């Protein structure tokens, strides 16, 4: 029996159990009531007193070693759980896939495009790094206009004629330069201004430019188009007003306000307690601008507008801080699961 004990003790030392099944086999073979050690105890009972003395201690030690080994194999298996492929519980619910969503500014941009496309406008694009002619001169900005000065415009150091466009109106010039009327186009894009970053201003933001040039285009067309836009974007109860204004590239010019959707006229910081929020500049394309693009102002007229996408989005979703749009904070972004 001594020999058997020795052999089993060596076997126990060498045993590996890296799955639940192999651990169970080990338990059945060494620990269970029908296992080999139990059998040895049965045999032990039939031995003479002399022989019992010889093997009793070793047999007890074997039993103890087998149990300790079982415990340590069990612990090792337990600690590996979750690290690998052991014990996959197929009944657990799956981890939900995180599907991204469109940025709120894109949601608004697509919505604006959708509205104007239905009115027969197409979508055009132009460069963000622009020259002075397309951003200012062709748009009838006088040589000494304050918008050209350093505090507003990011100029490109290597070439003083180049700058980051301050508005999307540059695309009007590019479009009229290569396409003759009728032109009916909207031009979304990013623009840059040298401003300190705050809740209300940022060094870059987004605009959508609109341009309609044809025979007999009138201010009434401009008003009706933008009125239609506001109703489509915000619902039929929205109010819109045109305020006389000035832009070098339009004559006459108007600022477009809509009723404040943050406070509904009660007064808040977004509408500066006026009940109205400015969403766009607009006007009839200045004859000089048409001439600069080779279009005869005697034959054609046109209207144009430039809308702030951040502003339109702010009123749509009640976002109160401009910085949220570019901070990439997932807690903000994941709230916009809506469709266009
Ligand atoms: N470019 C102007 C701005 O950035 C907005 C604007 C006003 C665009 C009148 C237009 C327009 O096309 O007709 O402030």
């Amino acid at each position: 029996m001594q020999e058997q004990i020795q052999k089993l003790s060596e076997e126990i030392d060498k045993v590996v159990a890296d799955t639940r099944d192999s651990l169970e086999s080990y338990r059945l073979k060494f620990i269970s009531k029908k296992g080999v050690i139990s059998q040895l105890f049965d045999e032990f009972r039939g031995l003479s007193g002399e022989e019992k003395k010889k093997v009793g201690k070793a047999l007890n030690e074997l039993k103890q070693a087998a149990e300790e080994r079982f415990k340590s194999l069990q612990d090792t298996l337990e600690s590996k759980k979750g690290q690998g492929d052991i014990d996959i519980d197929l009944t657990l619910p799956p981890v939900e896939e995180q599907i991204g969503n469109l940025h709120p500014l894109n949601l608004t941009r697509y919505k604006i495009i959708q509205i104007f496309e239905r009115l027969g406008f197409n979508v055009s694009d132009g460069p963000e790094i622009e020259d002075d002619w397309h951003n200012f001169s062709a748009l009838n900005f006088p040589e000494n206009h304050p918008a050209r000065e350093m505090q507003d415009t990011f100029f490109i150091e290597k070439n003083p004629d180049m700058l980051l466009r301050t508005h999307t109106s540059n695309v009007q010039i590019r479009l009229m330069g290569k396409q003759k009327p009728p032109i009916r186009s909207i031009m979304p894009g990013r623009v840059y201004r040298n401003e300190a970053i705050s809740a209300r201003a940022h060094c870059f933001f987004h605009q959508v430019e609109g341009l309609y040039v044809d025979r007999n285009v009138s201010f009434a067309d401009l008003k009706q188009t933008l009125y239609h836009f506001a109703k489509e974007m915000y619902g039929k109860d929205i109010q819109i007003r045109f305020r006389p204004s000035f832009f070098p590239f339009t004559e006459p010019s108007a600022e477009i306000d809509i009723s404040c959707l943050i406070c509904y006229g009660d007064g808040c910081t977004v509408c500066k307690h006026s009940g109205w929020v400015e969403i766009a500049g607009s006007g009839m394309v200045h004859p000089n601008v048409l001439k600069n693009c080779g279009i005869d102002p005697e034959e054609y007229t046109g209207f144009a507008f430039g809308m702030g996408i951040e502003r339109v989005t702010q009123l749509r979703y009640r976002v109160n801080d401009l910085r949220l749009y570019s901070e990439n904070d997932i807690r903000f972004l994941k709230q916009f699961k809506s469709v266009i």
Side-chain angles (χ1 to χ4, degrees):
M1 184 176 283
Q2 227 162 356
E3 248 175 53
Q4 255 177 310
I5 292 174
Q6 182 61 30
K7 236 180 86 195
L8 288 174
S9 147
E10 280 165 19
E11 201 180 323
I12 285 169
D13 281 346
K14 279 190 225 140
V15 129
V16 275
D18 49 13
T19 64
R20 285 218 165 271
D21 286 348
S22 51
L23 184 69
E24 181 60 5
S25 315
Y26 172 85
R27 190 188 69 81
L28 290 171
K29 180 165 180 189
F30 294 99
I31 317 274
S32 73
K33 287 221 172 84
K34 288 183 185 152
V36 283
I37 297 177
S38 254
Q39 275 169 25
L40 285 181
F41 271 99
D42 288 345
E43 283 172 36
F44 177 79
R45 266 172 234 124
L47 294 180
S48 67
E50 193 60 17
E51 281 169 322
K52 273 185 179 163
K53 251 190 212 162
K54 263 202 230 158
V55 294
K57 188 161 174 261
L59 187 55
N60 272 324
E61 277 170 1
L62 178 70
K63 187 179 177 221
Q64 208 180 338
E67 279 165 3
E68 276 168 14
R69 184 85 183 124
F70 177 71
K71 185 96 192 49
S72 87
L73 289 171
Q74 202 176 28
D75 287 350
T76 319
L77 201 60
E78 209 59 38
S79 70
K80 276 193 195 156
K81 228 184 182 175
Q83 288 174 17
D85 49 0
I86 306 151
D87 272 345
I88 298 168
D89 186 346
L90 294 173
T91 65
L92 284 174
V95 178
E96 209 185 313
E97 281 277 340
Q98 295 276 325
I99 299 173
N101 51 277
L102 288 171
H103 191 282
L105 293 178
N106 280 334
L107 285 170
T108 302
R109 180 162 61 93
Y110 291 141
K111 175 88 181 172
I112 296 172
I113 291 173
Q114 205 176 63
I115 295 170
F116 281 101
E117 270 181 347
R118 280 197 220 119
L119 294 175
F121 284 72
N122 66 5
V123 180
S124 307
D125 204 3
E128 290 177 20
I129 301 173
E130 190 52 285
D131 55 33
D132 180 275
W133 171 254
H134 291 92
N135 196 83
F136 291 129
S137 297
L139 285 158
N140 204 31
F141 276 81
E143 204 55 60
N144 54 356
H145 194 282
R148 294 180 182 223
E149 279 171 22
M150 297 303 278
Q151 65 266 33
D152 284 325
T153 308
F154 287 113
F155 287 95
I156 310 282
E157 232 168 46
K158 276 190 189 160
N159 182 350
D161 190 48
M162 298 299 286
L163 45 93
L164 298 185
R165 67 174 174 190
T166 56
H167 51 187
T168 43
S169 304
N170 66 325
V171 195
Q172 282 189 33
I173 304 301
R174 295 200 166 265
L175 202 58
M176 287 192 280
K178 61 174 190 240
Q179 193 188 319
K180 294 303 147 211
I183 297 170
R184 221 181 315 174
S185 194
I186 53 165
M187 307 143 226
R190 182 173 283 188
V191 304
Y192 302 84
R193 299 220 185 139
N194 194 356
E195 290 196 34
I197 298 168
S198 72
R200 302 177 62 89
H202 211 302
C203 58
F204 67 85
F205 55 98
H206 300 80
Q207 291 185 335
V208 176
E209 193 79 9
L211 179 70
Y212 180 20
V213 184
D214 202 351
R215 292 192 178 91
N216 301 320
V217 177
S218 73
F219 200 88
D221 296 318
L222 167 65
K223 272 186 99 167
Q224 203 51 42
T225 303
L226 287 166
Y227 189 44
H228 173 79
F229 162 77
K231 283 200 292 187
E232 287 290 302
M233 180 58 90
Y234 296 111
K236 63 178 173 27
D237 294 332
I238 194 76
Q239 292 190 51
I240 182 166
R241 75 175 184 186
F242 284 69
R243 223 168 357 99
S245 185
F246 171 80
F247 298 102
F249 37 95
T250 42
E251 182 59 37
S253 307
E255 221 101 42
I256 297 150
D257 299 341
I258 62 165
S259 44
C260 183
L261 292 163
I262 309 278
C263 67
Y264 294 101
D266 287 349
C268 67
T269 50
V270 171
C271 65
K272 295 189 198 130
H273 299 276
S274 70
W276 294 95
V277 185
E278 180 195 320
I279 57 160
S282 69
M284 299 306 292
V285 181
H286 197 290
N288 287 350
V289 175
L290 293 174
K291 265 190 240 158
N292 286 338
C293 300
I295 295 174
D296 182 1
E298 297 298 328
E299 190 178 353
Y300 292 104
T301 52
F303 71 68
F305 59 86
M307 193 157 14
I309 302 187
E310 274 79 355
R311 192 41 82 73
V312 176
T313 310
Q314 175 180 46
L315 295 171
R316 204 173 170 210
Y317 298 119
R318 316 234 161 106
V319 177
N320 58 6
D321 191 325
L322 213 57
R323 289 167 292 197
L324 286 165
Y325 293 125
S326 51
E327 276 171 349
N328 270 345
D329 187 333
I330 202 90
R331 291 167 302 179
F332 170 71
L333 296 172
K334 76 177 178 192
Q335 295 176 55
F336 300 91
K337 291 235 160 91
S338 50
V339 283
I340 297 159

